[in-house]
Amino acid sequence: MLSVALIVLVLVIDQIIKIWVKTHMTLGQQYEIAPWFRICFIENNGMAWGMTFFNKYVLSLFRIVAVAVIGWYIHKQISRGARLRYVFLLSLILAGAAGNIFDSMFYGLIFTASSPDYVAWLVPFGQGYAGFLTGKVVDMFYFPLIDTYLPSWLPIVGGSHFTFFDPVFNFADSAISVGVIALLLFCRKDMEPKSKEVDAADEDTKSEQTATPEHDAVKKGGAA
């Protein structure tokens, strides 16, 4: 139940933020919260960070399959009594992936296209800017931690604009990134193949079986 509650919570927060941005900001509009943090509305045609390696249908179907596999794996881990921390982080990753799938599945059906000239609005289902599985993912978090110009004395790139941490991402992307990084830092043992434990158990069993005849012989010798 905790896993389901976490997934629902992340999805609700993610969609509230995306729908507000989609219906209150024009494409490319920015709000500066701090010098190193801005709300910048863009739409992502492909994978996280704007990558476009795959056809949109292929990418959406891949995401759905990935979420299904992760969901099955979480169920399996819960059934075997996995640590709460491990299940929590897996659920965080699943929720983030599902949040971006929701955009692809439905945003094209229920919203008009976003534009730098006007704010998008809701339309009757099926009358939006794209078909099923081809909607664009809404991104908004932008952290230009370093926003400056490179020294002019540098060869080739001197004087050009430089931004450190340039990607614009959303709450769902954050959930995926935090989940993956935390898994690698704190749950590496949980991710190890369980075959090692099984092999060790088998070795212990074989040792006991090997020791049993000798033990019986000692017992018989003592009885004599």
Side-chain angles (χ1 to χ4, degrees):
M1 289 300 296
L2 181 61
S3 176
V4 174
L6 175 64
I7 292 169
V8 171
L9 178 63
V10 171
L11 284 174
V12 169
I13 294 173
D14 179 60
Q15 291 303 313
I16 288 174
I17 295 172
K18 287 176 176 175
I19 291 173
W20 187 92
V21 169
K22 178 80 174 173
T23 57
H24 288 79
M25 298 177 65
T26 57
L27 195 63
Q29 184 178 358
Q30 297 188 35
Y31 291 117
E32 184 171 312
I33 310 302
W36 47 268
F37 174 38
R38 302 173 195 170
I39 301 297
C40 177
F41 175 31
I42 68 169
E43 288 184 316
N44 182 359
N45 283 311
M47 301 177 68
W49 320 124
M51 294 183 289
T52 54
F53 295 136
F54 303 105
N55 174 275
K56 187 66 178 179
Y57 282 109
V58 174
L59 177 59
S60 296
L61 291 173
F62 173 79
R63 284 173 169 164
I64 292 171
V65 172
V67 166
V69 171
I70 296 172
W72 169 82
Y73 183 73
I74 291 173
H75 175 73
K76 183 179 178 181
Q77 295 304 308
I78 293 174
S79 300
R80 75 168 188 85
R83 287 196 301 172
L84 181 61
R85 177 196 303 172
Y86 189 47
V87 174
F88 178 91
L89 294 176
L90 288 172
S91 301
L92 197 61
I93 295 170
L94 185 147
N100 286 332
I101 288 174
F102 193 91
D103 296 23
S104 298
M105 292 175 69
F106 299 113
Y107 276 27
L109 298 171
I110 62 176
F111 287 113
T112 61
S114 295
S115 168
D117 302 317
Y118 55 82
V119 174
W121 64 91
L122 283 166
V123 295
F125 190 85
Q127 298 183 21
Y129 68 88
F132 185 63
L133 294 179
T134 59
K136 297 178 181 179
V137 177
V138 175
D139 293 328
M140 75 293 297
F141 296 135
Y142 181 37
F143 288 87
L145 301 178
I146 299 176
D147 190 356
T148 186
Y149 286 89
L150 296 174
S152 57
W153 49 264
L154 286 174
I156 303 176
V157 296
S160 59
H161 184 254
F162 172 76
T163 305
F164 176 72
F165 202 71
D166 203 40
V168 181
F169 56 97
N170 57 46
F171 189 78
D173 295 330
S174 301
I176 296 172
S177 299
V178 170
V180 170
I181 293 171
L183 280 178
L184 295 175
L185 290 176
F186 306 116
C187 296
R188 283 180 292 181
K189 289 185 178 180
D190 299 273
M191 294 187 289
E192 290 178 358
K194 297 304 173 184
S195 58
K196 294 182 180 179
E197 297 178 6
V198 174
D199 292 342
D202 289 343
E203 289 297 328
D204 291 341
T205 303
K206 290 178 181 178
S207 298
E208 291 176 2
Q209 291 174 346
T210 303
T212 299
E214 297 178 2
H215 181 64
D216 291 343
V218 170
K219 287 178 66 178
K220 291 178 179 179

